[in-house]
Amino acid sequence: MLLTITTTLSPATDLGFLLHKHPDRVQVFEQSFGTAHVFYPDASEGLCTAALLLDVDAVRLARTKGKSTPDFTLGQYVNDRPYAASSLLASAMAGVFRTAMRGRCDARPHLASAPIPLRLELPALPCRGGPEAARRLFEPLGWTVDARPVPLDERFADWGDSRYVALTLTGDVRLADALNHLYVLLPVLDDAKHYWIAPDEVDKLIRAGDGWLAAHPERAHVTRRYLANRRGLVRTALSRLAVADDGPEDGLERDPIDEEPPAPESTPPESVPEGTPPEPTPPEPTPPDPAVSEPAVPGATVSGPAVPEPGSPEAEPGSEPEPGTEAAAPPVPLAERRAQAVVEVLHAERAQSVIDLGCGTGKLLTRLLRDRSFQRIAGTDVSHRAMTIAARRLRPAPGDLAPRLELFQGALTYTDERFRGYDAAVLMEVVEHVDPPRLPAVERVVFGDARPRVVIVTTPNREHNVRYEGLGAGAMRHPDHRFEWTRAEFRDWAGRAAAAYGYQVRHVAVGEDDPEVGPPTQMGVFTR
């Protein structure tokens, strides 16, 4: 299994600095499934080629087989793994070129951060979908793609082509990006990983795809294949990628994970090899929501995930309802529950004019515009990019609702007369993007200067994060979050802010109010 990396950089031997591998040495790295060798077939001032040769030990690989491996055949010994690029090569890259993939090079930092001329060659790559699939995945990343089918047998042309391609990528690309492109896309094209898919694979995907995957036109396809169609992990990864694609230019843009934690898998992730179907299990009834101690808004607390309808793509064995019963409705995304809870509070408080402070790309504004009871609506955000997207999304039809809506750019840390004069202000998933030392400035602007009659603040509940598959211990729901409050911390902040500026505050649970860790979203309703 071979990968070569060639550059015509001047001097080309600087490739050794970027890869942290000396051109004059052959280096050997033991892997759990074989041995990786790094060497330089060419190393001159004008051209330098680094090669990664992976020698797979078929016997060692067979000893790590999963439950679904057919012991009664020679398939575990006679296969293409020693010869064709796959997740095995991607794993070897992660171990051998770890520092290079992170973009670090203390000796040549200017080269590590800049595009350089590169040619990557893989003589045998399993490519489900043929050459067109390789072009569809690599060309949007700036590569010129040469993917040539490998014939089954050159002596017998009538047999046609195999499922392998000889792949050559050329372009001016940052070396760290090039390595991460391969790390993610090799197992995607092969569509078969050699190891079990655990929740930490989401973090690996987001880390390796940083800066390119969120904007990739095939990101959903890449995510599904990379995560072996594990539904819970795919949902989490796509939510985090959607955030990155709609990303902020600063800390006040926000859009956290908008998925409820998926229902538990029938078998723990660490014990399910790739390709193993879930064990059929009888459906469990959805428990009723526990009572909410604080004053709640009707509809703000919604029951847990529903059972998918039989025959739907989401349905799994054992998920069908009992005969004679009706299938539950599909679960409502948390983003919808949160927006609906905000709108219901606005109705309960009889607000006719509303300003969305930190409106992002206008998701809440879209809902407010559909409701004719709101006679005056405004949206503001510090991000110019976000406001541009919001303006495009909310462009009215001729004679439509344009007179009710005003959009403008502004920062919540500075007083602005345009914030004044509204019945209600909404900060939906905003405060957690503000650096803690700047929170007092936001409080003065919103509660002290703008002083609407009602202020609605929603923010993630940190305690609930343990219910999300793919979130490691201590991780937050969005890479731009400066903090995430527990329920006690949010109540403490809300109580102090309300007392300082003459407001009263009540708390509302949004989403399923878990008896142990509380709801996924917590809401504070401040009334002056």
Side-chain angles (χ1 to χ4, degrees), residues 8 114-118 141-143 170-174:
T8 55
I116 62 174
L118 289 173
L141 302 174
W143 294 104
T170 55
D172 290 345
V173 180
R174 196 170 71 106

Side-chain angles (χ1 to χ4, degrees), residues 145-230:
V145 180
D146 180 11
R148 301 182 182 182
V150 176
L152 280 172
D153 193 316
E154 294 179 352
R155 298 170 299 174
F156 303 97
D158 292 345
W159 289 5
D161 296 325
S162 68
R163 69 185 189 98
Y164 306 94
V165 299
L167 180 67
T168 301
L169 306 174
T170 55
D172 290 345
V173 180
R174 196 170 71 106
L175 179 63
D177 292 336
L179 295 175
N180 282 299
H181 295 167
L182 290 180
Y183 176 78
V184 172
L185 298 180
L186 289 185
V188 167
L189 288 169
D190 183 24
D191 198 21
K193 281 198 169 183
H194 70 282
Y195 57 86
W196 299 343
I197 306 300
D200 63 352
E201 287 296 300
V202 174
D203 292 329
K204 293 179 185 178
L205 176 63
I206 299 300
R207 183 168 57 247
D210 183 39
W212 62 272
L213 182 54
H216 198 292
E218 297 286 336
R219 73 179 180 191
H221 170 73
V222 170
T223 302
R224 283 194 296 270
R225 281 200 177 180
Y226 183 90
L227 296 172
N229 289 299
R230 286 280 305 280

Side-chain angles (χ1 to χ4, degrees), residues 8 46 51 58 70 116 127 137 143 151 166 182 218 226 271 301 310 384 416 427 437 444 513 515 517:
T8 55
I116 62 174
C127 193
L137 293 185
W143 294 104
L182 290 180
E218 297 286 336
Y226 183 90
S271 62
T301 302
H384 174 74
D416 191 326
L427 291 88
R444 286 193 298 270
D513 197 355
V517 297

Side-chain angles (χ1 to χ4, degrees), residues 29-386:
F29 304 87
E30 290 298 326
Q31 308 292 306
S32 62
F33 43 79
T35 306
H37 308 264
V38 177
F39 57 95
Y40 289 75
D42 295 294
S44 64
E45 293 292 308
L47 183 143
C48 186
T49 298
L52 171 61
L53 177 66
L54 182 60
D55 184 13
V56 176
D57 186 332
V59 174
R60 195 186 309 177
L61 189 63
R63 288 172 179 165
T64 62
K65 62 185 177 63
K67 295 179 181 178
S68 59
T69 303
D71 292 329
F72 53 87
T73 72
L74 294 176
Q76 55 182 317
Y77 295 103
V78 183
N79 54 59
D80 63 358
R81 285 317 195 205
Y83 316 106
S86 65
S87 60
L88 291 168
L89 183 61
S91 294
M93 289 172 53
V96 173
F97 297 139
R98 181 182 305 275
T99 306
M101 291 176 67
R102 292 176 179 172
R104 282 186 50 201
C105 181
D106 296 338
R108 300 289 189 274
H110 62 289
L111 292 180
S113 61
I116 62 174
L118 289 173
R119 184 174 76 249
L120 310 181
E121 294 180 89
L122 293 153
L125 171 65
C127 193
R128 189 173 165 189
E132 179 56 34
R135 286 190 285 269
R136 196 169 64 246
L137 293 185
F138 283 103
E139 284 181 348
L141 302 174
W143 294 104
T144 299
V145 180
D146 180 11
R148 301 182 182 182
V150 176
L152 280 172
D153 193 316
E154 294 179 352
R155 298 170 299 174
F156 303 97
D158 292 345
W159 289 5
D161 296 325
S162 68
R163 69 185 189 98
Y164 306 94
V165 299
L167 180 67
T168 301
L169 306 174
T170 55
D172 290 345
V173 180
R174 196 170 71 106
L175 179 63
D177 292 336
L179 295 175
N180 282 299
H181 295 167
L182 290 180
Y183 176 78
V184 172
L185 298 180
L186 289 185
V188 167
L189 288 169
D190 183 24
D191 198 21
K193 281 198 169 183
H194 70 282
Y195 57 86
W196 299 343
I197 306 300
D200 63 352
E201 287 296 300
V202 174
D203 292 329
K204 293 179 185 178
L205 176 63
I206 299 300
R207 183 168 57 247
D210 183 39
W212 62 272
L213 182 54
H216 198 292
E218 297 286 336
R219 73 179 180 191
H221 170 73
V222 170
T223 302
R224 283 194 296 270
R225 281 200 177 180
Y226 183 90
L227 296 172
N229 289 299
R230 286 280 305 280
R231 288 189 297 120
L233 300 183
V234 170
R235 281 198 300 267
T236 299
L238 288 177
S239 296
R240 293 171 67 178
L241 288 172
V243 169
D245 186 38
D246 203 16
E249 293 180 352
D250 56 66
L252 290 182
E253 174 70 11
R254 76 284 172 271
D255 194 0
I257 293 176
D258 281 335
E259 294 285 343
E260 290 284 18
E265 303 273 347
S266 59
T267 313
E270 62 271 14
S271 62
V272 181
E274 174 201 0
T276 301
E279 296 285 340
T281 55
E284 296 183 1
T286 302
D289 285 341
V292 182
S293 57
E294 58 269 25
V297 175
T301 302
V302 187
S303 60
V307 178
E309 294 185 4
S312 72
E314 300 295 317
E316 294 186 355
S319 65
E320 295 84 355
E322 295 291 337
T325 63
E326 294 184 359
V332 179
L334 180 58
E336 291 296 316
R337 304 182 191 198
R338 184 166 50 239
Q340 182 62 31
V342 168
V343 171
E344 289 179 354
V345 169
L346 293 172
H347 281 306
E349 297 293 339
R350 301 184 183 278
Q352 297 183 352
S353 58
V354 182
I355 182 169
D356 187 356
L357 298 173
C359 66
T361 57
K363 295 175 182 177
L364 178 63
L365 294 175
T366 301
R367 182 183 288 267
L368 295 178
L369 280 172
R370 296 194 193 110
D371 193 325
R372 294 302 302 235
S373 65
F374 302 115
Q375 299 176 8
R376 182 178 169 222
I377 303 167
T380 182
D381 201 286
V382 72
S383 169
H384 174 74
R385 178 173 177 268

